[in-house]
């Protein structure tokens, strides 16, 4: 059995308004994993991270890191955990290069090493041309990259990331996800909150899904798939008038597909996938199909199915 590195023991948080952000959260993680904390708006994801880093005190329960209970304001917690909040403010009065390099120096990195790592991140994140600008003068995406770089320049044993790719363009999101994947180490635990489930899946070893402040699913992505049920996704790109096609497919297989432009998507039980696809092709519809894609569902599709089963609010990407 893997030894626990970080433990949430019946952790609950109630605000003065009476609202519960978390209720009875019990989780245990070994080092060496990248853990995704997923859930709709208001599920308690950010509150959980803020209690982890000592910015909030649990109403009940405790959080233990290497068997030490975390309390607000403890210096050792700051030395063990690096936190990227959704809206970081601490770096705004510094220049871009200073924000990254000083973050490394404050975590005990030698000056020459801190300088080398800073230059590497400035180059890889396309920040070199703005190295002397104040962080407060940057766009939202540029500022987010500086904040991410300030974490990556000297990662601690625990790294907590809240929406690390918010406001980033596709190229930089890819770069950041690759960097997060490289954080994986047998002596480190990475916890990340993200609404971009499809991209986050590329780096996740373990998943926790929250709803209304409680854990509703947890396990590896494969475990989540097994618990929700095995199904296959069939994606059809069609030529004909889409609404006519929707009616045709529904008439042939008895199920209305999801529609996105000229793309129709069906989620069917794995054991029925071949039969359903054969029925469509033999139903006089083959000539109107431009392409067919059959695949195992992504973690995002599994998450959305769980969300729908729980009747939780619609997922709003980029918000929390």
């Amino acid at each position: 059995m893997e030894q626990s590195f970080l433990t949430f023991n019946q952790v609950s948080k109630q605000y003065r308004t009476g609202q519960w952000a978390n209720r009875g959260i019990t989780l245990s993680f070994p080092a060496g994993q990248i853990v995704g904390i997923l859930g709709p708006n208001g599920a308690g994801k950010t509150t959980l991270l803020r209690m982890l880093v000592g910015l909030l005190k649990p109403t009940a329960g405790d959080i233990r890191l290497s068997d030490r209970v975390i309390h607000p304001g403890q210096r050792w917690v700051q030395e063990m955990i690096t936190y990227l909040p959704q809206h970081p403010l601490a770096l705004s009065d510094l220049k871009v290069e200073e924000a990254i390099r000083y973050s490394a120096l404050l975590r005990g990195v030698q000056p020459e090493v801190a300088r080398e790592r800073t230059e590497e991140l400035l180059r890889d994140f396309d920040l070199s041309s703005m190295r002397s600008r104040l962080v407060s003068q940057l766009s939202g995406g540029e500022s987010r990259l500086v904040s991410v770089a300030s974490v990556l320049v000297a990662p601690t044993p625990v790294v907590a990331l809240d929406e690390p790719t918010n406001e980033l363009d596709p190229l930089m999101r890819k770069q950041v996800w690759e960097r997060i994947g490289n954080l994986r180490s047998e002596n480190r635990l990475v916890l990340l909150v993200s609404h971009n489930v499809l991209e986050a899946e590329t780096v996740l070893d373990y998943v926790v899904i929250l709803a209304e402040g409680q854990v509703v699913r947890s396990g590896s992505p494969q475990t989540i798939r097994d618990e929700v049920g095995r199904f296959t996704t069939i994606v059809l790109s069609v030529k004909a008038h889409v609404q006519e096609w929707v009616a045709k497919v529904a008439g042939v297989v008895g199920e209305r597909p999801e529609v996105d432009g000229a793309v129709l998507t069906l989620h069917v039980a794995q054991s029925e996938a071949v039969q359903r696809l054969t029925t469509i092709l033999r139903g006089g519809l083959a000539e109107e199909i431009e392409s067919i894609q059959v695949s195992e569902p992504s973690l995002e599709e599994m998450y959305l199915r769980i969300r729908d089963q729980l009747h939780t609010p619609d997922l709003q990407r980029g918000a929390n």
Side-chain angles (χ1 to χ4, degrees):
M1 184 176 179
E2 292 179 298
Q3 184 176 2
S4 175
F5 179 52
L6 175 66
T7 301
F8 295 82
N9 180 34
Q10 290 294 315
V11 174
S12 298
K13 178 62 180 179
Q14 186 179 33
Y15 291 110
R16 293 180 180 179
T17 60
Q19 178 184 2
W20 289 92
N22 299 118
R23 289 176 179 266
I25 302 289
T26 296
L27 295 164
S28 183
F29 306 112
Q33 290 187 324
I34 299 179
V35 178
I37 302 175
L38 312 177
N41 296 338
K45 307 181 298 297
T46 293
T47 299
L48 198 64
L49 289 191
R50 288 173 62 82
M51 288 190 290
L52 167 65
V53 300
L55 293 176
L56 291 175
K57 182 180 180 180
T59 303
D62 61 58
I63 305 172
R64 294 175 180 265
L65 179 59
S66 295
D67 290 329
R68 300 175 71 180
V69 178
I70 292 174
H71 296 291
Q74 293 175 308
R75 184 173 180 81
W76 72 269
V77 174
Q78 300 171 11
E79 294 172 349
M80 288 287 288
I81 305 175
T82 308
Y83 176 48
L84 175 69
Q86 282 196 57
H87 307 291
L89 300 174
L91 306 177
S92 59
D93 293 332
L94 297 174
K95 295 178 181 178
V96 169
E97 184 271 341
E98 292 174 337
I100 301 171
R101 182 165 55 86
Y102 289 176
S103 295
L105 294 173
L106 287 171
R107 295 187 204 123
V109 178
Q110 293 299 311
E112 186 58 34
V113 176
R115 187 173 293 106
E116 291 175 359
R117 292 182 184 177
T118 298
E119 292 302 322
E120 177 187 350
L121 286 162
L122 287 171
R123 182 184 65 251
D124 290 351
F125 285 175
D126 289 337
L127 294 170
S128 297
S129 63
M130 55 193 78
R131 62 186 303 131
S132 298
R133 290 175 59 186
L134 292 175
V135 175
S136 60
Q137 298 175 341
L138 303 180
S139 70
E142 293 165 345
S143 177
R144 194 62 176 167
L145 278 175
V146 175
S147 298
V148 172
S150 72
V151 171
L152 297 177
V153 71
T156 47
V158 177
V159 177
L161 307 170
D162 197 344
E163 299 291 357
T165 59
N166 259 12
E167 300 185 80
L168 301 186
D169 63 48
L171 182 61
M172 282 298 106
R173 287 205 306 268
K174 184 175 184 295
Q175 176 72 256
V176 168
W177 285 123
E178 288 178 358
R179 287 277 186 165
I180 292 174
N182 291 337
L183 289 176
R184 186 181 288 103
S185 165
E186 63 181 9
N187 298 315
R188 181 180 297 123
L189 176 67
V190 179
L191 299 179
L192 68 89
V193 167
S194 179
H195 278 94
N196 200 325
V197 183
L198 195 60
E199 291 184 358
E201 183 177 8
T202 63
V203 302
L204 296 182
D205 304 304
Y206 196 88
V207 178
V208 176
I209 300 178
L210 300 182
E212 298 179 357
Q214 297 177 299
V215 177
V216 294
R217 290 284 193 287
S218 64
S220 68
Q222 189 58 58
T223 298
I224 299 295
R225 289 188 178 94
D226 291 340
E227 288 180 354
V228 174
R230 306 293 293 182
F231 66 93
T232 296
T233 300
I234 301 174
V235 179
L236 306 172
S237 179
V238 302
K239 302 176 185 177
H241 189 276
V242 174
Q243 294 307 317
E244 293 179 3
W245 234 94
V246 170
K248 289 180 181 179
V249 172
V252 170
V253 301
E255 179 179 343
R256 185 179 177 85
E258 299 172 6
V259 181
D260 183 4
V263 177
L264 287 74
T265 303
L266 284 166
H267 302 296
V268 301
Q270 196 174 61
S271 59
E272 300 176 1
V274 173
Q275 180 184 355
R276 291 292 184 92
L277 187 54
T278 300
T279 301
I280 291 172
L281 295 175
R282 290 178 177 175
L285 306 175
E287 294 182 358
E288 298 173 357
I289 299 175
E290 289 189 331
S291 66
I292 300 173
Q293 181 180 348
V294 180
S295 63
E296 185 179 55
S298 66
L299 179 60
E300 181 177 51
E301 290 171 318
M302 302 303 294
Y303 164 62
L304 292 174
R305 175 162 288 203
I306 292 170
R307 184 206 65 185
D308 292 342
Q309 290 173 350
L310 294 169
H311 304 293
T312 52
D314 287 341
L315 181 66
Q316 300 176 16
R317 298 184 183 280
N320 190 55

